[in-house]
């Protein structure tokens, strides 16, 4: 047997050896991770968008990374780790960006080191960090969420490529179509002189607005500064891109759209960030493009829904560009054929000045606008009656097709996008979720617009009827009907599934949904705006404003009245938006709306936020919320929840067996003779749909930051307590009823 004393001594020596090895490893780690001599602490925004983690986290900068770990670079850090006896325990690697380097940390404990520097490319300069922080505070969001919106995904291959040297400053452009505006030439001269005008531009109808944007951007480049234009869709980007190329040639600007693909988009973004190009046109995400020495921030068609980011904290392009212009002392222009109420408020407050044309120029550029009711005065022609065209619209379309294409705008895509009971007019709803039932095609089956379940055996829950009527007609059904009404004319559709960019100047019917109207090079001979009531009767504060904007955008594609261009709007002629269209007076409409909203203390005169979630979550949120003095609480009110589509398609209904029907009929005659009893069965009522609640919070102008801070504090407290039933906060909600 072994001597226990000797064995114990050997075991003790072995233990000491292991401890010595561990100390040696820790020593080597400490030597490798030795902090930098200068500014050894990096303050990092980590990729964690939780509101209670909305702060910078301190990490030590290893000496080996001191040269590359500069403010603005991407890094990898270990998040959630604890340092015990000089050793890190737990935590995983996540992405982050260094915001600044400092001499010492305010944290009292040991700091974990930066794990690595992903790239030495500086992607977030101090002005952009300050802007992201301001946007997060304005919208009650987090810095990490805004940074995620602002920075494109990294691609190493694109980053390794040089971006080229910037071209020399171009000469100031000629005013061109800006001469149609009394202050147009002076506006370009200000930009070329390096000044920073703030304007609300009401563009004249017609195809010239891309060239006007290009000339404003070129004038800014001539003044030695950069220019940024944000437009609502890729189709508009293509038009402005083409105008810039024609005016400046290639190499002075880039276009940013989601359709480029991640690598090409990052390549172009790097060219902007490195200063190789100083003019940018793009869609929503371009609002954070890091243009060097920004001199003009322009947003086109700011009332378009696509300018509001769908990701938290839901920033709007107009507001972000206005903040950039104020911070970077740049010019600012919000333009469009329509004028939003927010833009009208900028003019009324004196923050911006109007930039519009005189009445003579408007009359020379606009088409003739005519109105007609939707149900009265239908055409006598049977084909026109089947196509739901009033006689005026029928006559205008028939004559215009002799000289060119005719645009037909319908409010919704699809076939029958809203249906109701033929007998009692009750809206047809899904038995599962109470969503609206739609008919996708002429030979299709009723389908729920929310959960996508088919409803082949639908019965009205009120009267038991099983026949439907059209509520809102979609683009495909309209194309069908007009194709029968004009059998010799080509019919083309443009909508979300397939958007046409241009159409030739040949006779054709172009059926399009709002925003998807293609451009005819010579202008449309006429345009028909159908089912105006569907836009005007939406339960939304902005229904009239949005309807007028969509009508003006379509009308601007029509030839001037002097060239025979005619626009027919199928809507009640006495309504204010219709009258504004007839007079072509979007500024007057917006100012009237602004005055009325001021009397009712509605946005944009007041600042408003919405909080949506389950009833229990809303109640808990309101209990911990500490609102500023003078804030109003409106609600809560129930709002429906649209269920997600089922993971697997619902099984088709079993095919009816005709023999079973015959057997039931024979059994009924055997029991009751030729007079069966009446069917007293009541139609099955669906279970009540799931719902959330929404509460609106309102505060007087100038105190929006206080409201956002209070909402963020309440959300932070609930998350820190791990409260159930999450709620969603949105500043400046787009739909407030």
């Amino acid at each position: 047997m072994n001597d226990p004393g000797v064995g114990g001594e050997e075991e003790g020596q072995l233990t000491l050896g292991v401890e010595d090895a561990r100390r040696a490893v820790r020593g080597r780690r400490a030597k490798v991770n030795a902090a930098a001599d200068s500014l050894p602490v990096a303050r990092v925004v980590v990729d964690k968008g939780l509101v209670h983690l909305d702060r910078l986290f301190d990490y030590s900068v290893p000496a080996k990374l001191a040269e590359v770990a500069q403010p603005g670079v991407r890094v990898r850090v270990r998040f959630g780790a604890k340092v015990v006896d000089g050793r890190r325990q737990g935590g995983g690697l996540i992405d982050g960006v260094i915001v600044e380097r400092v001499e010492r940390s305010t944290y009292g404990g040991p700091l974990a080191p930066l794990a690595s520097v992903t790239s030495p490319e500086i992607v977030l300069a101090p002005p952009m960090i300050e802007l992201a922080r301001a946007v997060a505070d304005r919208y009650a969001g987090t810095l990490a969420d805004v940074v995620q919106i602002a920075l494109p995904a990294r691609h190493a291959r694109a980053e390794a490529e040089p971006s080229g040297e910037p071209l020399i400053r171009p000469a100031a452009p000629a005013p061109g179509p800006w001469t149609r505006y009394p202050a147009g030439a002076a506006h370009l001269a200000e930009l070329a002189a390096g000044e920073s005008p703030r304007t609300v531009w009401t563009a004249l109808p017609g195809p010239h607005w891309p060239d006007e944007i290009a000339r404003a951007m070129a004038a800014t480049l001539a003044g030695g500064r950069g220019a940024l234009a944000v437009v609502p869709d890729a189709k508009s980007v293509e038009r402005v891109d083409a105008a810039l190329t024609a005016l400046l040639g290639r190499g002075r600007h880039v276009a940013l759209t989601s359709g480029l693909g991640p690598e090409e988009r990052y390549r172009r973004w790097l060219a902007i960030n490195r200063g190789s190009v100083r003019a940018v046109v793009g869609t929503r995400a371009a609002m954070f493009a890091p243009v060097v020495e920004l001199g003009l921030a322009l947003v086109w068609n700011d009332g378009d829904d696509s300018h509001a980011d769908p990701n938290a904290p839901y920033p709007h392009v107009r507001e972000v560009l206005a903040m950039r212009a104020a911070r970077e002392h740049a010019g600012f222009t919000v333009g469009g054929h329509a004028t939003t109420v927010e833009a009208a408020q900028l003019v009324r407050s004196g923050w911006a000045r109007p930039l519009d044309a005189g009445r003579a120029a408007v009359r020379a550029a606009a088409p003739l606008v005519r109105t007609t009711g939707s149900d009265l005065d239908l055409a006598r022609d049977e084909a026109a009656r089947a196509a739901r065209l009033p006689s005026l619209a029928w006559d205008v379309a028939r004559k215009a097709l002799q000289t060119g294409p005719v645009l037909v705008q319908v409010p919704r895509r699809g076939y029958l996008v809203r249906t109701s009971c033929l007998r009692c007019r009750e809206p047809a709803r899904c038995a599962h979720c109470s969503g609206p039932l739609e008919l996708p095609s002429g030979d299709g089956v009723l389908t729920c617009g929310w959960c996508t379940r088919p409803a082949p055996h639908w019965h009205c829950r009120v009267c038991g009827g099983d026949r439907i009527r059209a509520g809102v007609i979609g683009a495909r059904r309209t194309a069908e009907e007009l194709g029968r009404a004009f059998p010799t004319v080509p019919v083309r559709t443009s909508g979300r599934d397939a958007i046409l960019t241009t159409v030739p100047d040949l006779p054709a019917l172009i059926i399009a949904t709002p925003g998807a109207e293609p451009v005819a090079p010579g202008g449309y001979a006429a345009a028909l705006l159908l089912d105006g009531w569907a836009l005007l009767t939406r339960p939304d504060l902005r229904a009239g404003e949005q309807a007028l904007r969509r009508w003006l955008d379509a009308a601007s594609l029509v030839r001037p009245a002097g060239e025979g261009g005619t626009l027919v709007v199928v809507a009640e002629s006495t309504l204010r938006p219709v009258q504004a269209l007839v007079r072509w007076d979007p500024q007057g409409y917006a100012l009237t709306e602004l005055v009325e909203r001021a009397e009712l203390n509605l946005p944009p005169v007041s600042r408003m936020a919405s909080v949506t979630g389950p009833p229990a979550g809303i109640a808990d949120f309101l209990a911990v919320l500490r609102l500023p003095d003078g804030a109003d609480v409106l609600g809560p009110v129930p709002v429906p929840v649209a269920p997600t589509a089922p993971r697997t398609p619902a099984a088709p209904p079993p095919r009816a067996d005709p023999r079973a029907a015959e057997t039931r009929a024979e059994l009924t005659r055997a029991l009751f003779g030729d007079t069966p009893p009446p069917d007293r069965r009541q139609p099955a009522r669906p279970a009540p749909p799931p719902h959330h609640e929404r509460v609106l919070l309102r505060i007087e102008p100038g105190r929006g930051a206080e409201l956002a801070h209070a909402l963020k504090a309440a959300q932070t407290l609930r998350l820190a307590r791990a409260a159930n039933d999450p709620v969603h906060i949105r500043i400046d909600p787009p739909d407030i009823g």
Side-chain angles (χ1 to χ4, degrees):
M1 295 178 64
N2 294 329
D3 189 335
V6 174
E9 183 178 351
E10 291 178 350
E11 184 177 353
Q13 292 175 351
L14 180 61
T15 302
L16 290 175
V18 171
E19 289 299 322
D20 290 341
R22 288 175 176 171
R23 289 193 199 97
V25 170
R26 287 197 294 268
R28 286 195 296 271
R29 286 176 178 171
K31 187 175 181 180
V32 168
N33 292 326
D37 295 332
S38 175
L39 303 177
V41 177
R43 311 202 70 199
V44 178
V45 53
V46 297
D47 190 12
K48 287 283 187 180
L50 300 177
V51 67
H52 62 292
L53 299 178
D54 186 29
R55 59 185 177 88
L56 302 181
F57 292 86
D58 293 351
Y59 289 85
S60 67
V61 180
K64 63 178 182 178
L65 300 179
E67 293 298 322
V68 292
Q70 297 300 315
V73 304
R74 303 180 201 249
V75 293
R76 296 277 285 173
V77 296
R78 193 169 296 279
F79 190 78
K82 296 180 180 180
V83 180
V84 180
D85 295 332
R87 300 175 59 190
R88 297 187 304 274
Q89 297 180 355
L93 288 175
I94 63 173
D95 295 323
V97 177
I98 297 179
V99 172
E100 59 179 343
R101 293 263 300 268
V102 295
E103 283 292 345
R104 59 179 54 86
S105 172
T106 56
Y107 177 66
L111 299 179
L114 298 174
S116 63
V117 174
T118 307
S119 165
E121 188 84 33
I122 296 177
V123 295
L124 203 62
M128 295 305 297
I129 293 174
E130 295 172 4
L131 174 68
R133 178 73 270 171
V135 171
D137 291 342
R138 186 195 188 284
Y139 287 97
T142 67
L143 177 61
D145 280 339
V146 179
V147 169
Q148 189 173 27
I149 295 173
L151 292 185
R154 176 179 179 263
H155 281 262
R157 183 166 53 187
E159 199 168 78
E161 300 172 359
S163 297
E165 294 297 323
L167 299 178
I168 61 173
R169 184 187 304 184
W178 279 107
T179 57
R180 302 180 300 165
Y181 305 85
H187 176 64
L188 294 193
E190 286 181 289
L191 294 172
E195 298 181 22
S196 303
R198 299 171 179 172
T199 58
V200 173
W201 167 39
T202 306
L204 286 168
H208 302 293
W209 65 266
D211 186 40
E212 290 163 348
I213 290 178
R215 291 178 185 275
M217 297 177 72
T220 308
L221 294 181
R225 298 191 296 174
L228 170 62
V230 183
V231 297
D233 50 42
K235 179 163 58 78
S236 301
V237 171
E238 291 177 5
R239 297 183 66 183
V240 179
D241 182 25
L244 282 168
T245 302
L247 186 64
L248 297 173
R250 298 187 179 276
R252 293 190 185 276
H253 78 280
V254 294
L256 294 179
T257 63
S258 58
L260 293 172
E263 183 175 348
E264 178 59 25
R265 181 178 176 84
Y266 188 54
R267 183 178 290 109
R268 297 187 183 189
W269 186 91
L270 286 172
I272 304 165
N273 191 51
R274 294 167 178 173
S276 297
V277 293
R278 302 179 71 180
V280 182
V281 57
T283 48
R284 181 182 58 239
M287 61 182 164
F288 290 105
V291 178
V292 177
E293 293 185 69
L294 184 66
L296 173 65
L298 184 149
V299 53
W300 171 258
N301 204 355
D302 64 306
D304 194 287
D305 297 338
S306 62
H307 281 310
D309 200 291
N311 301 307
Y314 317 108
H316 193 283
V317 170
R318 178 188 56 246
E319 307 304 324
V320 172
L321 292 189
M323 294 170 70
R324 287 193 69 173
R327 288 174 168 272
E328 301 180 46
H329 306 289
F332 173 78
T333 296
V334 51
H337 295 114
T339 304
T340 60
V341 179
E342 287 79 5
Q345 186 187 33
L346 295 179
V347 173
R348 191 181 186 190
S349 66
W351 193 85
R353 66 172 187 255
L355 180 59
D356 45 34
R359 296 305 303 172
V362 172
R363 285 192 292 270
L368 174 65
V369 180
R370 305 179 68 180
T371 65
T372 181
S374 56
D375 295 324
L376 302 176
D377 196 26
L378 286 176
R380 296 179 180 178
D381 187 282
E382 188 62 32
R385 183 182 297 275
R388 302 176 295 111
L389 287 181
S391 59
L392 176 62
W394 166 261
D395 291 338
V396 168
R398 181 171 51 82
K399 294 176 182 177
L401 284 170
Q402 299 175 9
T403 60
V406 172
L407 174 66
V408 181
Q409 186 194 74
V410 293
R412 296 288 300 274
R413 64 186 181 90
Y415 196 76
L416 297 185
V417 296
R418 287 294 182 268
T419 57
S420 59
C421 176
L422 179 64
R423 183 188 302 171
C424 70
R425 304 297 194 265
E426 177 74 10
R429 298 211 169 264
C430 174
H432 175 76
C433 70
S434 292
L437 293 182
E438 304 174 355
L439 191 63
S441 63
D443 56 355
V445 177
L446 282 173
T447 303
C448 179
W450 286 357
C451 69
T452 73
R453 286 179 169 83
H457 304 301
W458 172 83
H459 285 79
C460 177
R461 66 180 69 185
V462 175
C463 70
D466 59 357
R467 299 181 63 188
I468 62 167
R469 69 188 296 269
V472 177
I473 305 297
R476 288 202 301 272
R477 174 65 178 268
T478 301
E480 259 186 33
E481 295 173 343
L482 291 178
R484 289 192 293 266
F486 298 94
T488 62
V489 178
V491 179
R492 304 182 67 184
T493 59
S494 179
R496 188 180 69 176
D497 299 332
I499 297 179
L500 302 176
T501 304
T502 60
V503 293
D505 289 325
L506 299 173
L509 287 166
I510 311 300
I511 317 299
T513 51
E517 301 91 347
V519 176
Y524 288 97
L528 311 179
L529 310 179
L530 302 184
D531 297 335
W533 62 269
L535 293 175
L536 294 171
T537 57
R538 291 171 53 214
D540 186 358
L541 177 66
R542 302 176 184 270
E545 177 186 337
Q546 290 288 356
L548 178 59
R549 180 185 64 81
R550 289 166 174 165
W551 291 342
L552 289 170
D553 287 344
S556 67
L557 301 174
V558 183
R559 300 168 187 170
E563 299 177 15
T566 304
L567 177 82
V568 177
V569 55
V570 182
E572 174 56 49
S573 61
T574 59
L575 297 177
R576 188 190 301 163
V578 181
Q579 285 296 306
L581 175 64
V582 172
R583 297 191 307 270
W584 205 279
D585 184 23
Q587 307 100 311
Y589 177 85
L591 287 172
T592 303
E593 281 284 301
L594 182 62
V595 170
E596 289 190 355
R597 293 190 194 181
E599 294 174 352
L600 300 173
N601 198 21
L602 293 174
V605 177
S606 63
R607 290 294 305 281
M608 190 169 281
S610 68
V611 184
T612 308
I618 294 294
D620 182 58
F621 183 87
L622 293 177
V624 301
L625 178 63
R626 297 294 179 265
L627 283 173
D629 295 337
D632 298 325
V633 179
L634 310 175
V637 296
V639 292
V641 180
T644 57
R647 293 182 179 271
T648 57
R655 183 173 297 177
D657 187 352
R659 293 173 299 177
E662 294 175 0
T663 302
R664 286 195 298 270
E666 292 176 358
L667 182 59
T668 300
R669 284 194 298 271
L671 292 175
F672 302 102
D674 294 333
T675 57
D679 188 355
R680 294 187 174 88
R681 292 177 298 175
Q682 296 293 325
R685 294 186 177 274
H691 76 277
H692 280 179
E693 288 184 345
R694 183 174 73 165
V695 61
L696 296 176
L697 306 165
R698 181 175 61 189
I699 199 167
E700 62 188 9
R703 302 181 62 196
E706 298 178 47
L707 177 61
H709 178 76
L711 294 172
K712 190 172 180 178
Q715 188 80 310
T716 300
L717 180 58
R718 294 190 75 244
L719 289 175
R721 295 184 342 195
N724 296 323
D725 301 318
V727 299
H728 300 281
I729 298 172
R730 183 155 190 176
I731 304 292
D732 301 333
D735 52 341
I736 60 175

